[in-house]
């Protein structure tokens, strides 16, 4: 397949910015190792907000995050009645 000349010089510097987040990327945010920074403990609402900022306007991000959380995370309650943190299952 040949790339049209008018598109060839315009390479995309980060093509993954248009994709849904991977399970690995979600895990790196939950564990505090993502390039965008963050803490070791994160709540579901904070995780959803972070990826809404990382993938603005991208459809399906929330659904993907919730699906991965269900499979790969435990909810940790610190017994104060208002904080439930995510813990990544290794």
């Amino acid at each position: 397949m040949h790339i049209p000349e008018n598109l060839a010089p315009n390479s995309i510097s980060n093509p993954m910015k248009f994709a849904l987040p991977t399970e690995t990327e979600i895990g790196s945010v939950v564990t505090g190792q993502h390039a965008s920074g963050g803490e070791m403990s994160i709540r579901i609402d904070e995780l959803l907000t972070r990826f809404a900022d990382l993938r603005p306007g991208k459809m399906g991000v929330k659904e993907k995050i919730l699906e991965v959380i269900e499979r790969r995370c435990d909810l940790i309650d610190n017994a104060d009645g208002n904080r439930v943190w995510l813990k990544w299952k290794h």
Side-chain angles (χ1 to χ4, degrees), residues 9-21:
N10 299 327
S11 64
I12 300 171
S13 62
N14 180 12
M16 290 304 292
K17 76 179 182 178
F18 299 110
L20 289 174

Side-chain angles (χ1 to χ4, degrees), residues 5 8 10 12 14-15 22 31-32 36 43 48 50-51 55 59-60 62-63 65 69-71 78 80 83-86:
E5 287 184 30
N10 299 327
I12 300 171
N14 180 12
T22 64
T31 59
S36 67
R43 299 185 322 254
L48 292 172
R50 173 80 64 88
F51 277 101
R55 303 286 199 299
M59 300 296 290
K62 178 180 178 180
E63 292 79 6
I65 301 294
I69 288 172
E70 185 176 325
R71 287 186 300 104
N78 67 351
D80 69 357
R83 299 283 185 196
V84 178
W85 308 102
L86 294 170

Side-chain angles (χ1 to χ4, degrees), residues 23-24 26-33 40 68 71-74 86-90:
E23 189 170 300
T24 302
I26 296 166
S28 69
V29 172
V30 172
T31 59
Q33 299 172 352
M40 291 287 291
V68 171
R71 287 186 300 104
R72 296 298 311 264
C73 293
D74 289 324
L86 294 170
K87 180 180 178 192
W88 191 254
K89 296 178 191 176
H90 293 284

